[in-house]
Amino acid sequence: MQAQTLRKKSNGWLAGLVVCLLALLASPAAMAQSTDRLAELIAGPQRSPANTARDPYRKPYEVLKFFGLRPDSIVVEVLPGSAGYWTEIIAPYVRDKGLYVTAGRDESAPPGYQQDHARMLKKYADDPATFGKVQVTKFFSDRYDIAPPQSADLVLTFRNLHNWLDRNEIDGALKAFHKALKPGGILGVADHRGRTDLSQEAQMRTGYVRQDFAIALIEKAGFKLIGTSEVKANPKDTKDYPEGVWSLPPTYREGDKNRDKYAAIGESDRFVLMFVKQ
């Protein structure tokens, strides 16, 4: 009789444990872990093979999580170009609850940029299921509103600072970003990290930007640094190549010369910085 009672208690305990485990698996937190939409899109068929090949260096999941991207975010990406590396992920992620805005070229851009802009618009038109709700605005320093003032949750720029510095457009660009962001909105910046043993001026033509220089410049424009990530750090990058950062993949500006060496290094060492609008 006692053995039967113990078996009943044991069976009851096991049944209760199973019920608890099933409840846990059905909880919102567990469901979110098992159905991670961002991870699904990074592995999704809407992405080009050329872009997915860059994932080991660009770490899209980690970067977008770091910047706090949500399905209901209003996101402005500045000059994504026709390759659309980040566009292919962010646009469908925020499609239903948020908004993805491309701040693209204006009519004053050189012909090569104009052609790239046209290819970007064609990419959107050819895949309405992915890009049908994308909004396109103009960007050139602070000449235009890249989004309605104080409307954006996130403004993102990838590997653009060195160009704006070289063309003396950086102050206007930061002004445009500040204007577009909501109070407390986030500016996410990633770029090729420059050498600390050289001044910024000394490495302007290499494509690299000193991290401390970038932080000081951006904070001066009304932002506060609230986070850094080393997810894109690459200690193999010696930053001393004949064609600057463009010697490295995916550009390989030197052609076949030293190509195996550069392939082994991989893409550049990059900083990832998160600022809040003050």
Short mmCIF file of all heavy atoms in Angstrom, two decimals, residues 54-122:
data_model
loop_
_atom_site.label_atom_id
_atom_site.label_comp_id
_atom_site.label_asym_id
_atom_site.label_seq_id
_atom_site.Cartn_x
_atom_site.Cartn_y
_atom_site.Cartn_z
N ARG A 54 29.57 38.74 -46.16
CA ARG A 54 30.22 39.73 -45.31
C ARG A 54 29.86 39.57 -43.83
O ARG A 54 30.44 40.21 -42.96
CB ARG A 54 29.84 41.15 -45.76
CG ARG A 54 29.95 41.35 -47.26
CD ARG A 54 31.26 41.95 -47.71
NE ARG A 54 32.50 41.44 -47.19
CZ ARG A 54 33.23 40.48 -47.78
NH1 ARG A 54 32.83 39.91 -48.87
NH2 ARG A 54 34.38 40.12 -47.26
N ASP A 55 28.90 38.70 -43.52
CA ASP A 55 28.41 38.59 -42.15
C ASP A 55 29.47 38.25 -41.10
O ASP A 55 29.42 38.78 -39.98
CB ASP A 55 27.28 37.55 -42.08
CG ASP A 55 25.99 38.03 -42.74
OD1 ASP A 55 25.95 39.21 -43.15
OD2 ASP A 55 25.04 37.24 -42.83
N PRO A 56 30.45 37.37 -41.41
CA PRO A 56 31.45 37.08 -40.39
C PRO A 56 32.23 38.30 -39.92
O PRO A 56 32.74 38.32 -38.79
CB PRO A 56 32.37 36.07 -41.08
CG PRO A 56 31.51 35.42 -42.12
CD PRO A 56 30.61 36.53 -42.61
N TYR A 57 32.31 39.32 -40.77
CA TYR A 57 33.02 40.55 -40.41
C TYR A 57 32.10 41.62 -39.86
O TYR A 57 32.48 42.37 -38.97
CB TYR A 57 33.77 41.10 -41.63
CG TYR A 57 34.66 40.10 -42.31
CD1 TYR A 57 34.32 39.57 -43.55
CD2 TYR A 57 35.84 39.69 -41.72
CE1 TYR A 57 35.14 38.64 -44.19
CE2 TYR A 57 36.67 38.75 -42.34
CZ TYR A 57 36.31 38.23 -43.57
OH TYR A 57 37.11 37.31 -44.20
N ARG A 58 30.90 41.69 -40.39
CA ARG A 58 30.02 42.81 -40.05
C ARG A 58 29.06 42.53 -38.91
O ARG A 58 28.47 43.45 -38.36
CB ARG A 58 29.26 43.25 -41.31
CG ARG A 58 30.23 43.71 -42.39
CD ARG A 58 29.57 44.29 -43.62
NE ARG A 58 30.58 44.68 -44.59
CZ ARG A 58 30.34 45.22 -45.77
NH1 ARG A 58 29.09 45.44 -46.15
NH2 ARG A 58 31.33 45.55 -46.58
N LYS A 59 28.89 41.27 -38.54
CA LYS A 59 28.14 40.86 -37.35
C LYS A 59 26.79 41.58 -37.25
O LYS A 59 26.53 42.31 -36.29
CB LYS A 59 28.97 41.12 -36.10
CG LYS A 59 30.37 40.51 -36.12
CD LYS A 59 30.31 39.00 -36.14
CE LYS A 59 31.68 38.35 -36.20
NZ LYS A 59 32.44 38.46 -34.98
N PRO A 60 25.91 41.38 -38.22
CA PRO A 60 24.65 42.15 -38.23
C PRO A 60 23.77 41.92 -37.01
O PRO A 60 23.16 42.88 -36.51
CB PRO A 60 23.97 41.69 -39.52
CG PRO A 60 24.58 40.35 -39.83
CD PRO A 60 25.99 40.45 -39.36
N TYR A 61 23.67 40.70 -36.55
CA TYR A 61 22.80 40.43 -35.40
C TYR A 61 23.29 41.18 -34.17
O TYR A 61 22.53 41.89 -33.50
CB TYR A 61 22.76 38.92 -35.12
CG TYR A 61 21.78 38.53 -34.03
CD1 TYR A 61 20.44 38.27 -34.34
CD2 TYR A 61 22.18 38.46 -32.70
CE1 TYR A 61 19.53 37.93 -33.34
CE2 TYR A 61 21.29 38.12 -31.70
CZ TYR A 61 19.97 37.85 -32.02
OH TYR A 61 19.07 37.52 -31.04
N GLU A 62 24.58 41.03 -33.88
CA GLU A 62 25.13 41.65 -32.68
C GLU A 62 25.06 43.18 -32.75
O GLU A 62 24.74 43.85 -31.76
CB GLU A 62 26.58 41.22 -32.48
CG GLU A 62 26.76 39.75 -32.17
CD GLU A 62 26.86 38.86 -33.41
OE1 GLU A 62 26.51 39.32 -34.52
OE2 GLU A 62 27.29 37.71 -33.26
N VAL A 63 25.34 43.74 -33.93
CA VAL A 63 25.34 45.20 -34.08
C VAL A 63 23.94 45.77 -33.90
O VAL A 63 23.74 46.76 -33.18
CB VAL A 63 25.93 45.59 -35.45
CG1 VAL A 63 25.69 47.07 -35.74
CG2 VAL A 63 27.42 45.29 -35.47
N LEU A 64 22.95 45.17 -34.56
CA LEU A 64 21.59 45.71 -34.48
C LEU A 64 20.98 45.51 -33.10
O LEU A 64 20.22 46.37 -32.63
CB LEU A 64 20.72 45.07 -35.56
CG LEU A 64 21.13 45.45 -36.99
CD1 LEU A 64 20.29 44.69 -38.01
CD2 LEU A 64 21.02 46.95 -37.22
N LYS A 65 21.32 44.43 -32.42
CA LYS A 65 20.88 44.25 -31.04
C LYS A 65 21.53 45.29 -30.14
O LYS A 65 20.89 45.85 -29.24
CB LYS A 65 21.22 42.84 -30.57
CG LYS A 65 20.32 41.74 -31.10
CD LYS A 65 18.91 41.84 -30.52
CE LYS A 65 18.06 40.66 -30.91
NZ LYS A 65 16.67 40.76 -30.36
N PHE A 66 22.80 45.56 -30.38
CA PHE A 66 23.52 46.56 -29.59
C PHE A 66 22.88 47.93 -29.73
O PHE A 66 22.72 48.67 -28.74
CB PHE A 66 24.98 46.61 -30.05
CG PHE A 66 25.79 47.70 -29.43
CD1 PHE A 66 26.14 47.67 -28.09
CD2 PHE A 66 26.22 48.78 -30.20
CE1 PHE A 66 26.90 48.69 -27.52
CE2 PHE A 66 26.98 49.80 -29.64
CZ PHE A 66 27.32 49.75 -28.29
N PHE A 67 22.47 48.30 -30.95
CA PHE A 67 21.84 49.59 -31.17
C PHE A 67 20.40 49.65 -30.67
O PHE A 67 19.78 50.71 -30.68
CB PHE A 67 21.89 49.96 -32.65
CG PHE A 67 23.25 50.34 -33.16
CD1 PHE A 67 23.64 50.02 -34.46
CD2 PHE A 67 24.15 51.02 -32.36
CE1 PHE A 67 24.90 50.38 -34.95
CE2 PHE A 67 25.41 51.39 -32.83
CZ PHE A 67 25.78 51.06 -34.13
N GLY A 68 19.85 48.53 -30.25
CA GLY A 68 18.51 48.52 -29.68
C GLY A 68 17.39 48.50 -30.71
O GLY A 68 16.28 48.95 -30.42
N LEU A 69 17.65 47.99 -31.90
CA LEU A 69 16.62 47.91 -32.94
C LEU A 69 15.44 47.08 -32.46
O LEU A 69 15.62 45.98 -31.93
CB LEU A 69 17.20 47.30 -34.21
CG LEU A 69 16.22 47.10 -35.38
CD1 LEU A 69 15.83 48.45 -35.96
CD2 LEU A 69 16.84 46.21 -36.45
N ARG A 70 14.22 47.61 -32.65
CA ARG A 70 12.99 46.91 -32.30
C ARG A 70 12.10 46.82 -33.54
O ARG A 70 12.25 47.62 -34.47
CB ARG A 70 12.22 47.65 -31.20
CG ARG A 70 13.01 47.94 -29.94
CD ARG A 70 12.10 48.59 -28.89
NE ARG A 70 11.30 49.66 -29.46
CZ ARG A 70 11.67 50.94 -29.50
NH1 ARG A 70 12.84 51.31 -29.01
NH2 ARG A 70 10.88 51.85 -30.03
N PRO A 71 11.14 45.90 -33.55
CA PRO A 71 10.23 45.81 -34.69
C PRO A 71 9.42 47.08 -34.92
O PRO A 71 8.96 47.32 -36.04
CB PRO A 71 9.31 44.63 -34.32
CG PRO A 71 10.12 43.81 -33.38
CD PRO A 71 10.93 44.79 -32.59
N ASP A 72 9.22 47.90 -33.89
CA ASP A 72 8.44 49.13 -34.04
C ASP A 72 9.32 50.37 -34.16
O ASP A 72 8.82 51.50 -34.07
CB ASP A 72 7.46 49.30 -32.87
CG ASP A 72 8.15 49.43 -31.52
OD1 ASP A 72 9.38 49.19 -31.44
OD2 ASP A 72 7.47 49.78 -30.54
N SER A 73 10.61 50.19 -34.40
CA SER A 73 11.52 51.33 -34.51
C SER A 73 11.31 52.10 -35.81
O SER A 73 11.04 51.51 -36.86
CB SER A 73 12.99 50.87 -34.46
OG SER A 73 13.32 50.31 -33.22
N ILE A 74 11.45 53.41 -35.73
CA ILE A 74 11.56 54.26 -36.92
C ILE A 74 13.04 54.50 -37.14
O ILE A 74 13.71 55.14 -36.33
CB ILE A 74 10.80 55.59 -36.72
CG1 ILE A 74 9.31 55.32 -36.51
CG2 ILE A 74 11.01 56.51 -37.93
CD1 ILE A 74 8.51 56.56 -36.17
N VAL A 75 13.57 53.92 -38.23
CA VAL A 75 15.01 53.87 -38.47
C VAL A 75 15.36 54.64 -39.74
O VAL A 75 14.74 54.44 -40.78
CB VAL A 75 15.48 52.41 -38.64
CG1 VAL A 75 17.00 52.35 -38.76
CG2 VAL A 75 14.99 51.54 -37.50
N VAL A 76 16.35 55.50 -39.65
CA VAL A 76 16.91 56.17 -40.82
C VAL A 76 18.32 55.64 -41.02
O VAL A 76 19.16 55.77 -40.13
CB VAL A 76 16.95 57.70 -40.66
CG1 VAL A 76 17.51 58.35 -41.92
CG2 VAL A 76 15.57 58.26 -40.32
N GLU A 77 18.57 55.03 -42.17
CA GLU A 77 19.94 54.65 -42.52
C GLU A 77 20.45 55.64 -43.56
O GLU A 77 19.78 55.90 -44.57
CB GLU A 77 20.04 53.23 -43.06
CG GLU A 77 21.50 52.85 -43.30
CD GLU A 77 21.69 51.49 -43.92
OE1 GLU A 77 20.70 50.74 -44.08
OE2 GLU A 77 22.84 51.18 -44.27
N VAL A 78 21.63 56.16 -43.32
CA VAL A 78 22.19 57.20 -44.17
C VAL A 78 23.09 56.58 -45.25
O VAL A 78 24.04 55.86 -44.94
CB VAL A 78 22.99 58.21 -43.32
CG1 VAL A 78 23.49 59.36 -44.19
CG2 VAL A 78 22.13 58.74 -42.18
N LEU A 79 22.73 56.82 -46.50
CA LEU A 79 23.48 56.37 -47.67
C LEU A 79 23.78 54.87 -47.66
O LEU A 79 24.94 54.45 -47.71
CB LEU A 79 24.80 57.17 -47.78
CG LEU A 79 24.67 58.68 -47.91
CD1 LEU A 79 26.06 59.31 -48.03
CD2 LEU A 79 23.82 59.06 -49.11
N PRO A 80 22.73 54.06 -47.63
CA PRO A 80 22.97 52.61 -47.65
C PRO A 80 23.49 52.09 -48.99
O PRO A 80 24.12 51.05 -49.04
CB PRO A 80 21.60 52.02 -47.34
CG PRO A 80 20.63 53.06 -47.81
CD PRO A 80 21.31 54.38 -47.53
N GLY A 81 23.20 52.81 -50.08
CA GLY A 81 23.66 52.39 -51.40
C GLY A 81 22.90 51.20 -51.94
O GLY A 81 22.05 50.60 -51.28
N SER A 82 23.22 50.83 -53.18
CA SER A 82 22.46 49.80 -53.87
C SER A 82 22.76 48.40 -53.34
O SER A 82 21.93 47.49 -53.50
CB SER A 82 22.76 49.84 -55.37
OG SER A 82 24.13 49.59 -55.62
N ALA A 83 23.91 48.20 -52.70
CA ALA A 83 24.20 46.88 -52.13
C ALA A 83 23.19 46.54 -51.04
O ALA A 83 22.78 45.39 -50.90
CB ALA A 83 25.62 46.83 -51.60
N GLY A 84 22.80 47.54 -50.27
CA GLY A 84 21.74 47.36 -49.29
C GLY A 84 22.03 46.32 -48.22
O GLY A 84 21.13 45.59 -47.80
N TYR A 85 23.27 46.28 -47.75
CA TYR A 85 23.63 45.26 -46.76
C TYR A 85 22.69 45.29 -45.56
O TYR A 85 22.10 44.27 -45.19
CB TYR A 85 25.08 45.44 -46.30
CG TYR A 85 25.49 44.41 -45.27
CD1 TYR A 85 26.04 43.21 -45.67
CD2 TYR A 85 25.28 44.64 -43.91
CE1 TYR A 85 26.39 42.24 -44.73
CE2 TYR A 85 25.62 43.69 -42.97
CZ TYR A 85 26.17 42.48 -43.37
OH TYR A 85 26.48 41.52 -42.43
N TRP A 86 22.54 46.45 -44.95
CA TRP A 86 21.69 46.57 -43.76
C TRP A 86 20.23 46.70 -44.14
O TRP A 86 19.34 46.26 -43.41
CB TRP A 86 22.15 47.76 -42.91
CG TRP A 86 23.55 47.60 -42.43
CD1 TRP A 86 24.68 48.10 -43.01
CD2 TRP A 86 23.98 46.83 -41.31
NE1 TRP A 86 25.80 47.71 -42.30
CE2 TRP A 86 25.40 46.93 -41.25
CE3 TRP A 86 23.31 46.08 -40.34
CZ2 TRP A 86 26.15 46.30 -40.25
CZ3 TRP A 86 24.06 45.45 -39.35
CH2 TRP A 86 25.46 45.56 -39.32
N THR A 87 19.96 47.27 -45.31
CA THR A 87 18.58 47.45 -45.77
C THR A 87 17.85 46.11 -45.86
O THR A 87 16.68 46.00 -45.47
CB THR A 87 18.56 48.12 -47.15
OG1 THR A 87 19.40 49.26 -47.14
CG2 THR A 87 17.15 48.52 -47.54
N GLU A 88 18.53 45.10 -46.39
CA GLU A 88 17.90 43.79 -46.57
C GLU A 88 17.46 43.16 -45.26
O GLU A 88 16.60 42.27 -45.25
CB GLU A 88 18.87 42.84 -47.29
CG GLU A 88 19.14 43.21 -48.74
CD GLU A 88 20.15 42.29 -49.39
OE1 GLU A 88 20.81 41.52 -48.68
OE2 GLU A 88 20.29 42.38 -50.64
N ILE A 89 18.04 43.61 -44.16
CA ILE A 89 17.68 43.08 -42.84
C ILE A 89 16.68 43.99 -42.13
O ILE A 89 15.64 43.55 -41.64
CB ILE A 89 18.94 42.91 -41.96
CG1 ILE A 89 19.94 41.98 -42.64
CG2 ILE A 89 18.56 42.40 -40.57
CD1 ILE A 89 21.32 41.99 -42.00
N ILE A 90 17.00 45.29 -42.10
CA ILE A 90 16.20 46.21 -41.29
C ILE A 90 14.82 46.47 -41.90
O ILE A 90 13.81 46.49 -41.19
CB ILE A 90 16.94 47.55 -41.09
CG1 ILE A 90 18.28 47.33 -40.41
CG2 ILE A 90 16.09 48.52 -40.28
CD1 ILE A 90 19.16 48.56 -40.34
N ALA A 91 14.77 46.67 -43.22
CA ALA A 91 13.49 47.02 -43.86
C ALA A 91 12.39 45.98 -43.58
O ALA A 91 11.29 46.35 -43.16
CB ALA A 91 13.68 47.22 -45.36
N PRO A 92 12.64 44.69 -43.78
CA PRO A 92 11.58 43.73 -43.47
C PRO A 92 11.34 43.56 -41.97
O PRO A 92 10.23 43.21 -41.55
CB PRO A 92 12.06 42.42 -44.11
CG PRO A 92 13.53 42.57 -44.23
CD PRO A 92 13.77 44.04 -44.47
N TYR A 93 12.36 43.82 -41.15
CA TYR A 93 12.22 43.66 -39.70
C TYR A 93 11.23 44.68 -39.13
O TYR A 93 10.46 44.37 -38.23
CB TYR A 93 13.58 43.80 -39.03
CG TYR A 93 13.57 43.51 -37.55
CD1 TYR A 93 13.37 42.22 -37.07
CD2 TYR A 93 13.77 44.53 -36.62
CE1 TYR A 93 13.37 41.94 -35.71
CE2 TYR A 93 13.77 44.26 -35.26
CZ TYR A 93 13.57 42.97 -34.81
OH TYR A 93 13.55 42.71 -33.45
N VAL A 94 11.26 45.91 -39.63
CA VAL A 94 10.38 46.96 -39.10
C VAL A 94 9.17 47.20 -40.00
O VAL A 94 8.37 48.10 -39.72
CB VAL A 94 11.16 48.29 -38.90
CG1 VAL A 94 12.33 48.09 -37.95
CG2 VAL A 94 11.64 48.87 -40.23
N ARG A 95 9.02 46.43 -41.03
CA ARG A 95 7.99 46.66 -42.05
C ARG A 95 6.59 46.81 -41.47
O ARG A 95 5.85 47.72 -41.85
CB ARG A 95 8.01 45.51 -43.06
CG ARG A 95 6.89 45.56 -44.10
CD ARG A 95 6.84 44.31 -44.94
NE ARG A 95 5.64 44.28 -45.74
CZ ARG A 95 5.56 44.70 -47.00
NH1 ARG A 95 6.63 45.18 -47.59
NH2 ARG A 95 4.44 44.63 -47.66
N ASP A 96 6.19 45.93 -40.56
CA ASP A 96 4.80 45.89 -40.10
C ASP A 96 4.49 46.87 -38.97
O ASP A 96 3.39 47.41 -38.90
CB ASP A 96 4.44 44.47 -39.64
CG ASP A 96 4.47 43.48 -40.79
OD1 ASP A 96 4.24 43.90 -41.95
OD2 ASP A 96 4.72 42.28 -40.54
N LYS A 97 5.47 47.12 -38.11
CA LYS A 97 5.20 47.94 -36.93
C LYS A 97 6.00 49.24 -36.88
O LYS A 97 5.66 50.14 -36.11
CB LYS A 97 5.50 47.14 -35.66
CG LYS A 97 4.62 45.91 -35.49
CD LYS A 97 4.98 45.16 -34.20
CE LYS A 97 4.12 43.92 -34.03
NZ LYS A 97 4.49 43.17 -32.78
N GLY A 98 7.05 49.33 -37.66
CA GLY A 98 7.89 50.52 -37.63
C GLY A 98 8.04 51.13 -39.01
O GLY A 98 7.12 51.09 -39.83
N LEU A 99 9.22 51.68 -39.28
CA LEU A 99 9.47 52.32 -40.57
C LEU A 99 10.97 52.35 -40.83
O LEU A 99 11.76 52.66 -39.94
CB LEU A 99 8.93 53.75 -40.57
CG LEU A 99 9.16 54.58 -41.84
CD1 LEU A 99 8.39 54.00 -43.02
CD2 LEU A 99 8.75 56.04 -41.60
N TYR A 100 11.34 52.01 -42.08
CA TYR A 100 12.73 52.13 -42.51
C TYR A 100 12.81 53.23 -43.54
O TYR A 100 12.08 53.23 -44.54
CB TYR A 100 13.23 50.81 -43.10
CG TYR A 100 14.62 50.91 -43.71
CD1 TYR A 100 15.76 50.84 -42.91
CD2 TYR A 100 14.78 51.09 -45.08
CE1 TYR A 100 17.02 50.95 -43.47
CE2 TYR A 100 16.04 51.18 -45.64
CZ TYR A 100 17.16 51.11 -44.83
OH TYR A 100 18.40 51.23 -45.39
N VAL A 101 13.70 54.19 -43.30
CA VAL A 101 13.90 55.34 -44.18
C VAL A 101 15.31 55.28 -44.74
O VAL A 101 16.29 55.18 -43.98
CB VAL A 101 13.68 56.67 -43.45
CG1 VAL A 101 13.90 57.85 -44.40
CG2 VAL A 101 12.29 56.73 -42.83
N THR A 102 15.43 55.36 -46.05
CA THR A 102 16.71 55.49 -46.72
C THR A 102 16.98 56.96 -46.99
O THR A 102 16.23 57.60 -47.71
CB THR A 102 16.71 54.74 -48.08
OG1 THR A 102 16.73 53.34 -47.85
CG2 THR A 102 17.93 55.11 -48.90
N ALA A 103 18.03 57.49 -46.39
CA ALA A 103 18.47 58.85 -46.70
C ALA A 103 19.51 58.74 -47.81
O ALA A 103 20.67 58.41 -47.55
CB ALA A 103 19.04 59.53 -45.46
N GLY A 104 19.07 58.96 -49.05
CA GLY A 104 19.91 58.69 -50.21
C GLY A 104 20.49 59.93 -50.85
O GLY A 104 20.41 61.04 -50.31
N ARG A 105 21.05 59.75 -52.02
CA ARG A 105 21.73 60.83 -52.74
C ARG A 105 20.73 61.85 -53.29
O ARG A 105 19.58 61.52 -53.59
CB ARG A 105 22.52 60.25 -53.91
CG ARG A 105 23.51 59.18 -53.52
CD ARG A 105 24.73 59.74 -52.85
NE ARG A 105 25.66 58.67 -52.48
CZ ARG A 105 26.81 58.88 -51.83
NH1 ARG A 105 27.17 60.10 -51.48
NH2 ARG A 105 27.60 57.87 -51.52
N ASP A 106 21.21 63.07 -53.45
CA ASP A 106 20.39 64.07 -54.14
C ASP A 106 20.95 64.28 -55.55
O ASP A 106 21.91 63.62 -55.97
CB ASP A 106 20.31 65.38 -53.36
CG ASP A 106 21.60 66.20 -53.42
OD1 ASP A 106 22.63 65.70 -53.93
OD2 ASP A 106 21.58 67.36 -52.95
N GLU A 107 20.35 65.22 -56.28
CA GLU A 107 20.68 65.42 -57.69
C GLU A 107 22.07 66.00 -57.91
O GLU A 107 22.59 65.97 -59.04
CB GLU A 107 19.64 66.32 -58.35
CG GLU A 107 18.24 65.74 -58.42
CD GLU A 107 17.47 65.81 -57.11
OE1 GLU A 107 17.98 66.45 -56.16
OE2 GLU A 107 16.36 65.24 -57.04
N SER A 108 22.70 66.52 -56.87
CA SER A 108 24.03 67.11 -57.03
C SER A 108 25.15 66.08 -56.93
O SER A 108 26.31 66.41 -57.16
CB SER A 108 24.24 68.19 -55.96
OG SER A 108 24.34 67.61 -54.67
N ALA A 109 24.82 64.84 -56.62
CA ALA A 109 25.84 63.80 -56.46
C ALA A 109 26.53 63.51 -57.79
O ALA A 109 25.92 63.62 -58.86
CB ALA A 109 25.21 62.53 -55.91
N PRO A 110 27.79 63.13 -57.78
CA PRO A 110 28.50 62.77 -59.02
C PRO A 110 27.80 61.62 -59.75
O PRO A 110 27.04 60.85 -59.14
CB PRO A 110 29.89 62.35 -58.51
CG PRO A 110 30.04 63.03 -57.19
CD PRO A 110 28.67 63.07 -56.60
N PRO A 111 28.06 61.48 -61.06
CA PRO A 111 27.35 60.48 -61.86
C PRO A 111 27.42 59.05 -61.31
O PRO A 111 26.43 58.32 -61.34
CB PRO A 111 28.06 60.58 -63.22
CG PRO A 111 28.56 61.98 -63.28
CD PRO A 111 28.93 62.33 -61.88
N GLY A 112 28.57 58.66 -60.79
CA GLY A 112 28.68 57.30 -60.25
C GLY A 112 27.74 57.06 -59.09
O GLY A 112 27.12 55.98 -58.99
N TYR A 113 27.61 58.05 -58.23
CA TYR A 113 26.68 57.94 -57.11
C TYR A 113 25.24 57.97 -57.59
O TYR A 113 24.37 57.29 -57.03
CB TYR A 113 26.93 59.07 -56.10
CG TYR A 113 28.20 58.93 -55.30
CD1 TYR A 113 29.05 60.01 -55.12
CD2 TYR A 113 28.54 57.71 -54.70
CE1 TYR A 113 30.22 59.88 -54.37
CE2 TYR A 113 29.69 57.58 -53.94
CZ TYR A 113 30.53 58.67 -53.79
OH TYR A 113 31.67 58.54 -53.04
N GLN A 114 24.99 58.76 -58.61
CA GLN A 114 23.63 58.82 -59.17
C GLN A 114 23.23 57.45 -59.73
O GLN A 114 22.09 57.00 -59.56
CB GLN A 114 23.56 59.87 -60.28
CG GLN A 114 23.69 61.31 -59.82
CD GLN A 114 22.43 61.84 -59.15
OE1 GLN A 114 21.43 61.15 -59.02
NE2 GLN A 114 22.48 63.08 -58.72
N GLN A 115 24.16 56.80 -60.42
CA GLN A 115 23.87 55.48 -60.97
C GLN A 115 23.62 54.46 -59.86
O GLN A 115 22.72 53.61 -59.97
CB GLN A 115 25.04 55.04 -61.86
CG GLN A 115 25.19 55.89 -63.12
CD GLN A 115 26.54 55.69 -63.80
OE1 GLN A 115 27.31 54.80 -63.43
NE2 GLN A 115 26.83 56.53 -64.78
N ASP A 116 24.39 54.56 -58.81
CA ASP A 116 24.19 53.65 -57.69
C ASP A 116 22.83 53.90 -57.04
O ASP A 116 22.13 52.96 -56.63
CB ASP A 116 25.30 53.83 -56.65
CG ASP A 116 25.18 52.83 -55.51
OD1 ASP A 116 25.48 51.64 -55.73
OD2 ASP A 116 24.77 53.24 -54.41
N HIS A 117 22.45 55.17 -56.92
CA HIS A 117 21.15 55.52 -56.34
C HIS A 117 20.02 54.93 -57.19
O HIS A 117 19.04 54.39 -56.66
CB HIS A 117 21.01 57.04 -56.25
CG HIS A 117 19.75 57.50 -55.61
ND1 HIS A 117 19.56 57.46 -54.24
CD2 HIS A 117 18.59 58.00 -56.14
CE1 HIS A 117 18.35 57.93 -53.95
NE2 HIS A 117 17.75 58.25 -55.08
N ALA A 118 20.17 55.01 -58.51
CA ALA A 118 19.15 54.43 -59.41
C ALA A 118 19.06 52.92 -59.23
O ALA A 118 17.96 52.35 -59.24
CB ALA A 118 19.48 54.78 -60.86
N ARG A 119 20.20 52.26 -59.06
CA ARG A 119 20.19 50.81 -58.82
C ARG A 119 19.50 50.48 -57.50
O ARG A 119 18.79 49.47 -57.38
CB ARG A 119 21.61 50.26 -58.84
CG ARG A 119 22.26 50.22 -60.22
CD ARG A 119 23.52 49.39 -60.22
NE ARG A 119 24.57 49.94 -59.38
CZ ARG A 119 25.48 50.81 -59.79
NH1 ARG A 119 25.48 51.24 -61.06
NH2 ARG A 119 26.41 51.27 -58.98
N MET A 120 19.71 51.33 -56.51
CA MET A 120 19.06 51.13 -55.22
C MET A 120 17.54 51.22 -55.35
O MET A 120 16.79 50.37 -54.84
CB MET A 120 19.55 52.17 -54.21
CG MET A 120 18.96 52.04 -52.82
SD MET A 120 19.39 53.45 -51.78
CE MET A 120 18.29 54.72 -52.46
N LEU A 121 17.05 52.24 -56.06
CA LEU A 121 15.61 52.40 -56.25
C LEU A 121 15.03 51.22 -57.03
O LEU A 121 13.91 50.76 -56.74
CB LEU A 121 15.32 53.71 -56.97
CG LEU A 121 15.70 54.99 -56.23
CD1 LEU A 121 15.36 56.21 -57.08
CD2 LEU A 121 15.01 55.08 -54.87
N LYS A 122 15.77 50.71 -57.99
CA LYS A 122 15.32 49.55 -58.76
C LYS A 122 15.25 48.32 -57.86
O LYS A 122 14.31 47.51 -57.96
CB LYS A 122 16.24 49.28 -59.94
CG LYS A 122 15.76 48.16 -60.86
CD LYS A 122 16.67 47.98 -62.05
CE LYS A 122 16.10 46.94 -63.02
NZ LYS A 122 15.86 45.62 -62.40
#
